[in-house]
Amino acid sequence: MNELGTNIGATAAGGAQPATQDAHDGDSFRDFVGNLGSESDQIYTRAPEEPFRLTFTDVTCLLVNRTIGTGIFNGPREVMRGAQTPGMAMLIWFCGCIYCLAGSHVFLEYGLTVPRYVIDGVEQSVPRSGGELHYLQYVYSRPRYKKDTIVLISVMFGLGFICVGNMASNCIDCASKLLILSNSQNRSDGLIRGIAIFIATVTCFIHAFSRRGGILLNNLFAVVKLLFLVSIILITWVVVGGKTGRPQFDGAQSPTSVDSNAQQNDSAQSGNGQDNMAEAFLFVVFAFFGFDQPSYVLGEIKHPRKNFPKAMWWGMGLVSVLYLAVNFCYMLMVPADVQMETSVAVEFFARAFPHSKSAVNTVNAFLVISSFGNVVVWTFTAARMKQEIAKQCYLPFSKFFAMEADVSLGRFLTWLEGPSNGNSTRRISFLNPSNHREKTPVGAFTLHLMSCIVLICATFGTDADHAYSILSSLFSYLLAAWFGVFLAAGILILHIRGPPATQPVRTPKYRGASDQVAVTRTWREITKGSVNPTMSIICAVLYLIGSLYPIIARWVPPGAGKHAKKPARKPNVAWFVVPVAAICILAFSILWFLGFLAVAKYRQWNGKMEFSRVTQPEFDLAERRDDMEGSGRLSNEYDGSLRRLGGLILSYETVYPAWTPCKDRDSISLHETQNVGIPGGGSSPEQRGWHEGWQINSASNFHNNDFFNDEPPGTAYTSHAGQPRSRPERYGSGMQWGEAMPGAGR
């Protein structure tokens, strides 16, 4: 990504900058932006203010609410169909637990180290939202259109996430359970799809209308889900540990039989073979796949270097233990043959309370809550990911889908108060407009809702159980398995090949880039202090195997095994639908990338234009103190000590996409690489200049106005005003220029 910063009211590392120079730099930057395109093309996003950031509790509840969805209640039936025996089913769930913890470590390692910048001479990571999108770009920077613009892997993941990265499966499942709960005789496909679309719309509205309200709702659902799983364990302990021991119950007389049309699924998929095992593991992956969620909103977490790893291990560790315990309880209460034919959770409560007619309704009510809670949390996180995808600028209407707008409850309350009512409604703290006045990614919510509606309608004509099975398998197969392989292989590549050089960046607050050099270190050096290198490799290998197995095994057709059984009935969906659909989405994304290259080549040949994408980030300290207020730019020593506590975070970012003339490319040599000296001796390998990749005729405006120094870095450098100054030998307290900050890899 091309990194550029304005210089407004900021100072260099050595002291204050004159106001006239700040104004001069600001004019230069405005001229630069003018050459990139109109202001209407700019995409501006910012991180939430401090009161709206996610705390440790919020992130933990986000993990719990996302992970504990419909998978632990609907998944055991599919797992038992593939495993055929309780022992094998428990082994698959245990493998899912290992997969979950290994995947958590992989995402934690990426989140604490990517992306990386050299800021005021210090190489460090800056946590940001976007998860896999930025991690994959960091490792697989080729093929691409042009350096730091459109990358193939970004297009593949972005379009794949837009297509299946929604909760259409949970919306359909929630709608189906609502009809069962209401004892409705009308369970037509049209009614189920209509309710599912309504559920998806309501969740988008909740998060757009009140960010804080959506977070509180997420936390409430997480607590309810934890209590429900704990109740299953306690009920099993009471029933099985009683005088009569394990209850003997006639499945034919189960209360669930009244809902056999809705609860039972045909046994078409119960044949043996590797494809059944793979499908069973895919459902386990779907049940466990929630550890990626914090990375989607990492830039919105309060103190991310501290709260992100704590919440990850507490959340996923708790879920893993509960999942294994709940499945063990299922095995004790529900026979294997019954598990294959009905909802295991419903059957569990029917057997635990055989004389209670309300037991089944109670379970269905919770399943509705669980499905809806999963939709709530996924809408919150997926919208942030789709906003980051839109900022890559390869989608139509990228500016609209990436835009933020204030349609919040706070704005509505402010309108209700009016200019004359003062603080009439502020006696209740919750009704204070400032508690809700926050911009939300409205464009991304729109994109999320559109893709969800398309998938819901695409399954029309398929019963709710099969629709849930297909959509959840497609989600797991494409996003969890396919891109899980890319992420796991990426960790191994970084260990073997090494990471790319970390490039300097300058912003309004941090402006030392004209004197800094790219920093190249090994991945072991970068992650030192944040993850164990040996554990990093082990987890990457486990995550790679766990992701690669279902990709391969799903291509084995049913009945291919020597002792495979023929299904009792022909399934209404062919076995190859999920893998073929995933491959088609990946192929479509590759064609999209090639189409962009063709358009760019045509515009370059016909109109002498090329696509440029420049980003202007701004960073802020992750942990602020009261004595910082009003002090302006802090001293290097104090600033450095504060960075060691929490480092920097991305506070806002502006993206400037434009088609600009390319006729002057050969007239300026800004793209040439050079060997530059490193303090302390030696030289770095040939790296691109920190300003490389900008549009040439635009970047030249800065040089014409003395904004940058064209001279290569050396023992002395030129200030923005043209006065020579000696290079600072230390950064902060004991920090060498270009040296990594302690804990910066986190």
Side-chain angles (χ1 to χ4, degrees):
M1 183 167 53
N2 296 318
E3 302 295 354
L4 175 68
T6 59
N7 292 260
I8 304 173
T11 62
Q17 188 77 358
T20 55
Q21 183 64 36
D22 294 335
H24 174 72
D25 293 342
D27 293 339
S28 299
F29 183 76
R30 281 188 290 272
D31 292 340
F32 169 77
V33 172
N35 287 334
L36 280 183
S38 64
E39 186 176 351
S40 62
D41 297 328
Q42 301 171 14
I43 301 174
Y44 174 82
T45 58
R46 66 178 179 85
E49 300 294 335
E50 185 71 17
F52 294 95
R53 289 187 175 272
L54 301 172
T55 64
F56 164 73
T57 302
D58 296 330
V59 180
T60 305
C61 289
L62 184 148
L63 280 162
V64 170
N65 189 25
R66 172 64 184 95
T67 308
I68 304 176
T70 56
I72 187 60
F73 307 112
N74 294 338
R77 175 178 57 191
E78 308 299 335
V79 173
M80 186 59 72
R81 286 177 174 177
Q84 298 292 306
T85 62
M88 185 59 68
M90 286 300 299
L91 180 60
I92 293 177
W93 281 102
F94 179 76
C95 291
C97 181
I98 300 299
Y99 170 87
C100 163
L101 297 178
S104 299
H105 192 281
V106 168
F107 273 86
L108 196 62
E109 184 172 357
Y110 275 118
L112 295 176
T113 51
V114 177
R116 306 191 64 78
Y117 307 90
V118 177
I119 305 172
D120 274 4
V122 179
E123 192 222 8
Q124 57 190 291
S125 65
V126 179
R128 64 170 300 163
S129 302
E132 298 105 304
L133 179 69
H134 301 297
Y135 308 156
L136 293 170
Q137 286 180 324
Y138 183 76
V139 181
Y140 307 100
S141 58
R142 296 174 183 271
R144 62 193 180 203
Y145 159 63
K146 194 175 62 173
K147 203 164 195 174
D148 305 322
T149 53
I150 309 300
V151 185
L152 174 61
I153 194 67
S154 171
V155 178
M156 292 175 64
F157 176 80
L159 295 184
F161 192 90
I162 290 172
C163 289
V164 302
N166 54 67
M167 281 291 97
S169 60
N170 286 77
C171 289
I172 293 175
D173 186 73
C174 184
S176 176
K177 294 297 189 298
L178 272 174
L179 293 178
I180 294 173
L181 186 63
S182 64
N183 293 321
S184 174
Q185 299 301 317
N186 181 12
R187 298 173 187 171
S188 64
D189 289 345
L191 181 59
I192 291 177
R193 267 59 178 187
I195 297 175
I197 293 174
F198 175 77
I199 292 171
T201 305
V202 167
T203 53
C204 289
F205 175 79
I206 290 173
H207 288 298
F209 192 59
S210 176
R211 170 187 168 86
R212 176 161 293 180
I215 294 173
L216 291 176
L217 189 62
N218 167 76
N219 296 351
L220 175 62
F221 281 128
V223 173
V224 171
K225 291 180 180 183
L226 285 176
L227 293 177
F228 188 77
L229 292 187
V230 172
S231 71
I232 292 178
I233 300 172
L234 294 178
I235 290 171
T236 305
W237 179 50
V238 172
V239 174
V240 177
K243 293 182 179 180
T244 59
R246 180 177 175 180
Q248 299 298 320
F249 194 80
D250 184 4
Q253 299 175 0
S254 170
T256 61
S257 62
V258 298
D259 292 320
S260 59
N261 291 333
Q263 295 290 347
Q264 292 183 9
N265 211 344
D266 59 61
S267 302
Q269 304 172 31
S270 60
N272 294 328
Q274 287 298 321
D275 66 300
N276 297 314
M277 295 289 291
E279 186 172 3
F281 187 72
L282 273 180
F283 276 99
V284 173
V285 169
F286 181 77
F288 273 107
F289 199 69
F291 48 80
D292 59 332
Q293 297 301 288
S295 66
Y296 293 2
V297 293
L298 190 55
E300 302 184 16
I301 298 177
K302 186 177 182 180
H303 309 327
R305 290 177 178 83
K306 178 173 65 177
N307 289 330
F308 174 43
K310 284 175 56 180
M312 179 72 85
W313 293 126
W314 272 101
M316 299 314 300
L318 185 61
V319 169
S320 299
V321 172
L322 287 176
Y323 269 20
L324 291 178
V326 167
N327 274 281
F328 183 73
C329 293
Y330 287 159
M331 301 302 173
L332 290 176
M333 295 287 291
V334 184
D337 57 337
V338 178
Q339 288 191 34
M340 298 181 193
E341 301 300 330
T342 186
S343 172
V344 180
V346 175
E347 187 69 22
F348 173 89
F349 278 89
R351 291 170 179 268
F353 304 99
H355 305 295
S356 174
K357 295 182 179 180
S358 61
V360 175
N361 288 335
T362 301
V363 178
N364 283 328
F366 176 78
L367 293 180
V368 170
I369 295 174
S370 181
S371 296
F372 184 71
N374 214 274
V375 176
V376 167
V377 64
W378 181 251
T379 300
F380 177 78
T381 56
R384 270 67 184 178
M385 172 64 83
K386 289 173 182 175
Q387 183 184 42
E388 291 294 319
I389 293 172
K391 287 164 62 177
Q392 302 302 307
C393 303
Y394 53 74
L395 295 177
F397 313 108
S398 291
K399 179 178 174 59
F400 171 77
F401 292 132
M403 77 170 185
E404 295 178 332
D406 185 2
V407 294
S408 64
L409 175 62
R411 183 176 181 180
F412 177 71
L413 293 175
T414 302
W415 175 79
L416 286 180
E417 287 184 356
S420 60
N421 291 337
N423 298 329
S424 58
T425 64
R426 298 189 183 184
R427 296 176 183 177
I428 303 176
S429 176
F430 184 79
L431 295 179
N432 191 331
S434 62
N435 289 333
H436 304 277
R437 195 72 186 261
E438 181 72 15
K439 289 186 176 182
T440 53
V442 177
F445 283 130
T446 304
L447 180 60
H448 179 78
L449 180 60
M450 290 168 53
S451 62
C452 190
I453 292 175
V454 169
L455 277 189
I456 291 174
C457 295
T459 59
F460 192 86
T462 305
D463 64 83
D465 282 339
H466 277 100
Y468 170 83
S469 175
I470 293 170
L471 294 178
S472 57
S473 295
L474 181 59
F475 175 92
S476 301
Y477 189 81
L478 181 58
L479 295 184
W482 265 100
F483 291 105
V485 168
F486 285 120
L487 288 171
I491 294 293
L492 301 179
I493 290 173
L494 291 172
H495 276 285
I496 299 172
R497 184 195 66 187
T502 305
Q503 301 297 331
V505 61
R506 42 187 314 174
T507 75
K509 290 184 179 180
Y510 306 97
R511 298 175 18 172
S514 62
D515 185 58
Q516 296 169 10
V517 297
V519 177
T520 302
R521 295 194 296 160
T522 65
W523 189 247
R524 181 182 291 264
E525 293 171 338
I526 286 177
T527 58
K528 183 179 180 181
S530 57
V531 297
N532 182 282
T534 303
M535 186 60 64
S536 169
I537 296 175
I538 293 175
C539 289
V541 171
L542 291 175
Y543 191 52
L544 177 64
I545 295 173
S547 300
L548 194 60
Y549 168 69
I551 292 179
I552 299 174
R554 273 307 294 259
W555 288 98
V556 179
K562 182 178 179 180
H563 303 288
K565 301 176 183 178
K566 287 188 177 182
R569 285 185 292 163
K570 183 179 180 180
N572 62 353
V573 178
W575 63 270
F576 53 80
V577 166
V578 170
V580 168
I583 294 298
C584 288
I585 292 174
L586 293 177
F588 173 75
S589 63
I590 294 174
L591 291 177
W592 188 284
F593 175 74
L594 295 177
F596 179 87
L597 294 184
V599 171
K601 191 70 175 178
Y602 174 78
R603 296 195 66 170
Q604 185 176 4
W605 171 77
N606 187 49
K608 305 299 182 183
M609 305 287 285
E610 65 178 2
F611 179 75
S612 296
R613 177 181 173 273
V614 174
T615 61
Q616 176 202 349
E618 183 50 85
F619 309 107
D620 201 357
L621 294 170
E623 300 184 20
R624 306 195 65 84
R625 293 179 176 176
D626 296 338
D627 52 0
M628 293 172 56
E629 300 299 331
S631 63
R633 173 77 173 180
L634 301 175
S635 66
N636 284 339
E637 182 175 358
Y638 190 33
D639 192 13
S641 64
L642 283 179
R643 288 198 199 183
R644 293 186 184 90
L645 295 176
L648 295 177
I649 57 175
L650 183 67
S651 57
Y652 66 79
E653 184 177 48
T654 308
V655 180
Y656 303 94
W659 290 92
T660 52
C662 57
K663 59 183 178 181
D664 297 330
R665 170 170 294 277
D666 297 331
S667 62
I668 301 177
S669 59
L670 291 181
H671 284 236
E672 296 178 358
T673 58
Q674 53 186 325
N675 286 320
V676 291
I678 295 180
S683 62
S684 67
E686 290 191 352
Q687 304 292 342
R688 66 184 178 98
W690 72 277
H691 43 16
E692 179 188 345
W694 293 1
Q695 182 56 36
I696 302 307
N697 65 324
S698 301
S700 63
N701 291 334
F702 284 92
H703 289 265
N704 295 335
N705 289 281
D706 297 326
F707 190 78
F708 299 136
N709 173 27
D710 284 330
E711 298 299 325
T715 56
Y717 70 100
T718 305
S719 68
H720 300 302
Q723 300 298 324
R725 294 187 298 177
S726 60
R727 175 199 296 271
E729 296 181 357
R730 314 285 291 182
Y731 176 82
S733 176
M735 295 300 301
Q736 292 286 349
W737 280 78
E739 180 182 351
M741 178 184 66
R746 303 180 186 179

